[in-house]
Amino acid sequence: MTDSSSDCTLEEEYVLYKNRPQWRDVTPIQQDDGPNPVVAIAYSEQFRDVYDYFRAVLRSGEKSERVLELTNDAAQLNPANYTVWQYRRDVLHHLNSNLTEELDYIGETIREHPKNYQVWHHRRVIVEWMKDASNELQFTDQVLSLDSKNYHAWQHRQWVVATFKLFDAELQYVNNLLVKDVRNNSAWNQRHFVIVHTTGFTPEIIQRELEFTASKIKDVVNNESAWNYLRGVLCHTESGNITSEDFILDFCQELYDMGCRSPYLLAFTIDICEEFLELGVSSEAYPIQKALQLCEDLAVEHDKIRKEYWKFISRKLSQNVSCKTDVNSSS
């Protein structure tokens, strides 16, 4: 057991467990780091005291209100300790404790440690026990309002929405987040999640999503999240090819003709040209020569930090062209 937060202390009036009369019947168990620990951890006195007693009740199997209080203190000192949370759940179950109060407790703990896996897992278990997720969307919204890309909050929200079938307003919720921050990759991911679990990517939904994403890209052409989402939507077309949608081909050409030189647009255009080559389809708007030129433009001007990558892509495309030419000549 490690002291993951050296600055974390209990209340100022804290009394060590070894000095509490109600704990005199328990013999604390010290941590055994061996005779010659390589790196001895400088535990605080409070930390040693709490975890010495926690080890003792863990060995004895005691499940009582005082042990519940002990797990609270242990969790405050190290909220990432799985054993503490698991034993707390065992105690809660044994005592048939008030789960609404526990939900309030873990909510406050999450607000203090919003990126800790164990505290989110504990909340999920409590919600499962209660079979009631009526507070969860509001709770995750509060957490996400402080950090809109908190992975644990999104993971919990997805579980809640899918488990309790709370999809009705989720797409609108995502839309609101994208209005606030169109670069929020987590919101784009949630949009895909909602569609997959509701309507699915039917031809009508695909067209709607292509138009929606194109409008967001026009607003911010250097938004990588929107370009990635666009690729994801195109994967759901019947062919799975990015060249299968004339709307997107025209959209990319329009952006380019307007003078847009976003690295994401140029990279997308290169992929279009390469796909036409692989399919053996001649495209006047997207010839392979255009892709080779864009590779040079990216390497020299628009994406110089990845210069060597674009040189590699250029060589790869040239080799593909040569192979296609050889095959055609031999046939």
Side-chain angles (χ1 to χ4, degrees):
M1 300 177 185
T2 59
D3 186 353
S4 64
S5 179
S6 58
D7 294 330
C8 180
T9 59
L10 304 180
E11 296 180 2
E12 292 182 4
E13 298 301 322
Y14 174 78
V15 177
L16 295 174
Y17 277 79
K18 64 182 181 181
N19 295 329
R20 300 184 188 187
Q22 66 271 34
W23 281 90
R24 287 175 182 167
D25 61 311
V26 177
T27 301
I29 299 175
Q30 295 183 356
Q31 179 164 314
D32 183 5
D33 290 328
N36 300 299
V38 177
V39 180
I41 300 175
Y43 297 110
S44 68
E45 184 180 17
Q46 288 179 338
F47 190 92
R48 287 184 180 278
D49 178 66
V50 168
Y51 275 91
D52 286 355
Y53 277 85
F54 178 69
R55 276 185 288 272
V57 298
L58 197 62
R59 176 174 292 183
S60 69
E62 179 184 339
K63 297 179 179 67
S64 61
E65 289 293 342
R66 71 174 183 176
V67 171
L68 197 63
E69 179 186 354
L70 175 64
T71 62
N72 177 35
D73 290 345
Q76 285 188 48
L77 288 165
N78 185 2
N81 190 308
Y82 171 83
T83 304
V84 169
W85 289 110
Q86 180 57 55
Y87 200 69
R88 181 177 180 86
R89 288 189 287 273
D90 292 343
V91 176
L92 289 168
H93 188 270
H94 178 80
L95 297 177
N96 194 26
S97 299
N98 186 315
L99 296 182
T100 300
E101 292 180 0
E102 184 67 12
L103 200 64
D104 292 339
Y105 161 75
I106 194 59
E108 290 303 315
T109 306
I110 287 174
R111 290 183 180 92
E112 295 175 9
H113 308 280
K115 294 187 176 181
N116 182 304
Y117 171 78
Q118 297 301 341
V119 296
W120 282 102
H121 177 67
H122 186 70
R123 186 175 183 95
R124 174 171 171 169
V125 173
I126 300 306
V127 172
E128 285 180 323
W129 286 357
M130 296 177 69
K131 295 182 173 60
D132 179 7
S134 57
N135 296 317
E136 298 312 286
L137 295 185
Q138 181 181 3
F139 178 76
T140 54
D141 180 43
Q142 291 171 353
V143 175
L144 290 169
S145 67
L146 301 175
D147 179 1
S148 62
K149 301 175 184 179
N150 184 318
Y151 169 79
H152 300 289
W154 278 114
Q155 186 180 50
H156 184 75
R157 190 178 182 94
Q158 286 192 351
W159 171 76
V160 167
V161 169
T163 302
F164 295 90
K165 310 302 179 188
L166 303 177
F167 288 101
D168 290 350
E170 195 64 9
L171 199 60
Q172 185 57 52
Y173 175 72
V174 171
N175 287 344
N176 294 339
L177 289 180
L178 290 176
V179 168
K180 295 177 183 177
D181 179 12
V182 74
R183 292 183 173 87
N184 187 340
N185 187 62
S186 298
W188 284 104
N189 179 67
Q190 185 75 350
R191 186 178 184 90
H192 186 274
F193 172 83
V194 172
I195 293 173
V196 166
H197 288 82
T198 53
T199 60
F201 281 91
T202 65
E204 295 76 18
I205 296 298
I206 288 174
Q207 186 61 35
R208 183 196 73 185
E209 292 304 292
L210 293 178
E211 293 176 2
F212 174 84
T213 310
S215 69
K216 296 300 182 183
I217 289 175
K218 279 186 176 180
D219 291 340
V220 184
V221 294
N222 285 322
N223 178 11
E224 184 178 9
S225 296
W227 283 103
N228 288 338
Y229 184 77
L230 181 63
R231 290 177 181 274
V233 173
L234 290 168
C235 287
H236 291 282
T237 61
E238 186 174 352
S239 67
N241 296 327
I242 59 178
T243 57
S244 62
E245 296 291 333
D246 290 338
F247 172 79
I248 293 302
L249 299 180
D250 294 340
F251 168 69
C252 291
Q253 187 63 50
E254 178 188 356
L255 282 182
Y256 189 84
D257 291 342
M258 291 171 57
C260 176
R261 295 298 182 268
S262 163
Y264 306 114
L265 168 63
L266 302 188
F268 199 89
T269 302
I270 290 171
D271 289 343
I272 293 174
C273 297
E274 183 177 17
E275 192 170 277
F276 273 126
L277 175 67
E278 294 297 326
L279 293 172
V281 177
S282 176
S283 172
E284 187 174 324
Y286 293 97
I288 198 63
Q289 290 76 17
K290 182 174 185 178
L292 293 171
Q293 181 60 54
L294 291 179
C295 284
E296 182 177 349
D297 293 345
L298 284 161
V300 173
E301 183 177 359
H302 304 297
D303 194 16
K304 291 187 283 187
I305 195 169
R306 297 199 299 166
K307 176 177 66 175
E308 296 304 320
Y309 171 76
W310 293 116
K311 286 184 177 180
F312 165 76
I313 295 297
S314 181
R315 292 193 299 270
K316 176 187 169 187
L317 290 174
S318 297
Q319 290 171 359
N320 289 345
V321 171
S322 298
C323 290
K324 292 285 184 180
T325 302
D326 292 342
V327 170
N328 292 335
S329 297
S330 61
S331 60

